Amino acid sequence: MHKTKHLRTLLASNSLTKVIGAHDGISSIIAEKNGFDAIWASGLEISAAQGYPDASILTMTEFLNAAQVINRSTSLPVIADCDSGFGDVNNVRRMVEEYERSGIAGICIEDKVFPKRNSFLETKQELADIDEFALKIKVAKMTQQNEDFVIIARLESLIANQGIDDAYNRAEHYAKAGADAILVHSKSKDSSEVLEFAELWSNSEFNSTPLVIVPTTYFTIDLDELNDTPIQMVIYANQGLRAAIQGIQNSTKLILENKGTSIIEDQIASVKTVFELIGTNKVSETEAWYKSELEKLKEQTVF
Ligand code: SPV
Ligand code: MG
């Protein structure tokens, strides 16, 4: 199935779609191997992997390049985190053209002004004007060529302490503008505000527009609990990167402290695992095929 169709089908299904963040080829490969349904090309992960803050520092092209690497490394559909759309409506138009052309299955834009700041930063989180953002969603929908390409509108009202009513009002506007899903983001330590929003949304006239959540701070909610809510998609946006950072930090510290790597050998992936993950066997398979084909050709040309 085409990746865009696949994502569309996941969103329309009755079961919870489980998505994990990635920032490069190997994180994308590992996500697929571990049974996730789709991949989130995370702005935070991609920025951090390149050594920059998640604050609209990288350009759209740099985020797109990373999303392309993620996409070509997996057969799963990729949803690209496109921050606040990289500028105004014309930037959004080009963004949809480029991401769709690259085979990305869907994009997500958030209702903050450019340049945006990561939602968990304590600095002021400035929301976009509701009508201006709804028009960004509209222009994104007008631009997509494949009707299955998914446009997710992300609400930052709870992040900006604007309350549930503001979030609900915005969600209705964005659903009306054509958003294929609503991502309600929260920095609360527990899931109550997100669940309250989900309950409200399930009674809205737009309740056929699926709900997406990112349980970074309210991590105690588990998949069994989520299965009993009206939420259709869960994104574990940055846990992979955080696990990698912790692993790299621990091991690099221990090497010098212990004057060698004996101490960490049973804690790190073997070289064999690395080879397996990146499909190294294909190299010898291709080489063997090439040699046998070449031999056949040589035999044919001998008189
Ligand atoms: C990202 O992964 O870049 C996100 C999600 O936007 S979060 O960082 O949790 O806000
Ligand atoms: Mg982001």
Side-chain angles (χ1 to χ4, degrees):
M1 199 190 309
H2 192 277
K3 286 184 179 187
T4 2
K5 177 74 131 197
H6 186 179
L7 181 59
R8 217 4 105 172
T9 310
L10 286 169
L11 263 184
S13 78
N14 288 327
S15 51
L16 183 68
T17 299
K18 296 169 256 330
V19 184
I20 184 119
H23 54 274
D24 60 7
I26 191 77
S27 51
S28 183
I29 289 169
I30 293 172
E32 178 160 355
K33 282 224 178 320
N34 284 290
F36 281 88
D37 301 311
I39 296 183
W40 169 251
S42 158
L44 172 61
E45 288 208 12
I46 293 167
S47 301
Q50 300 195 28
Y52 285 104
D54 181 22
S56 300
I57 307 286
L58 294 185
T59 64
M60 184 205 80
T61 310
E62 289 173 303
F63 282 115
L64 176 64
N65 287 344
Q68 287 167 336
V69 171
I70 291 167
N71 194 39
R72 70 158 191 247
S73 309
T74 181
S75 65
L76 298 178
V78 172
I79 303 164
D81 173 7
C82 289
D83 289 349
S84 51
F86 306 113
D88 72 5
V89 276
N90 280 300
N91 299 92
V92 169
R93 191 165 56 77
R94 177 179 178 225
M95 177 195 87
V96 171
E97 285 167 5
E98 298 287 354
Y99 276 82
E100 193 182 7
R101 194 179 291 139
S102 297
I104 306 296
I107 57 97
C108 173
I109 53 173
E110 62 198 64
D111 57 359
K112 290 213 293 258
V113 296
F114 179 93
K116 68 109 218 202
R117 297 285 179 261
N118 183 275
S119 303
F120 299 123
L121 283 171
E122 293 302 331
T123 52
K124 188 170 173 354
Q125 298 285 350
E126 208 178 322
L127 295 186
D129 174 82
I130 182 170
D131 293 320
E132 284 177 21
F133 190 76
L135 287 175
K136 276 188 174 175
I137 294 293
K138 220 171 200 166
V139 89
K141 292 303 296 173
M142 282 158 53
T143 305
Q144 71 183 79
Q145 298 292 306
N146 180 340
E147 60 177 7
D148 288 327
F149 187 75
V150 168
I151 312 271
I152 303 177
R154 165 166 155 182
L155 305 169
E156 294 279 299
S157 304
L158 304 178
I159 296 292
N161 301 317
Q162 295 304 302
I164 286 231
D165 290 347
D166 185 70
Y168 186 80
N169 183 34
R170 285 172 173 268
E172 282 202 330
H173 270 72
Y174 306 158
K176 210 170 173 177
D180 298 300
I182 297 290
L183 189 163
V184 56
H185 206 10
S186 163
K187 59 182 179 185
S188 173
K189 290 241 171 337
D190 66 75
S191 54
S192 52
E193 67 178 8
V194 155
L195 294 182
E196 190 186 335
F197 182 89
E199 197 49 45
L200 267 181
W201 192 247
S202 65
N203 295 310
S204 148
E205 66 170 298
F206 296 104
N207 63 8
S208 59
T209 308
L211 264 194
V212 183
I213 63 156
V214 180
T216 303
T217 50
Y218 52 99
F219 50 79
T220 52
I221 190 160
D222 69 14
L223 292 174
D224 290 334
E225 272 178 89
L226 283 172
N227 275 325
D228 292 333
T229 70
I231 293 158
Q232 271 100 338
M233 180 184 282
V234 56
I235 303 177
Y236 295 102
N238 50 44
Q239 287 76 6
L241 174 84
R242 288 159 59 202
I245 289 174
Q246 186 76 50
I248 295 168
Q249 268 181 338
N250 289 347
S251 53
T252 47
K253 181 168 173 281
L254 286 171
I255 294 170
L256 287 189
E257 275 176 13
N258 292 276
K259 302 192 169 84
T261 65
S262 306
I263 187 101
I264 57 164
E265 286 300 330
D266 62 351
Q267 294 169 28
I268 58 178
S270 65
V271 174
K272 185 166 169 269
T273 301
V274 178
F275 285 168
E276 280 168 7
L277 283 172
I278 55 182
T280 310
N281 59 331
K282 284 190 213 127
V283 175
S284 28
E285 276 168 27
T286 308
E287 205 166 50
W289 168 86
Y290 167 77
K291 278 188 180 147
S292 100
E293 290 297 307
L294 200 59
E295 252 164 50
K296 280 189 234 161
L297 288 174
K298 298 269 186 248
E299 276 164 22
Q300 283 166 16
T301 50
V302 172
F303 296 99

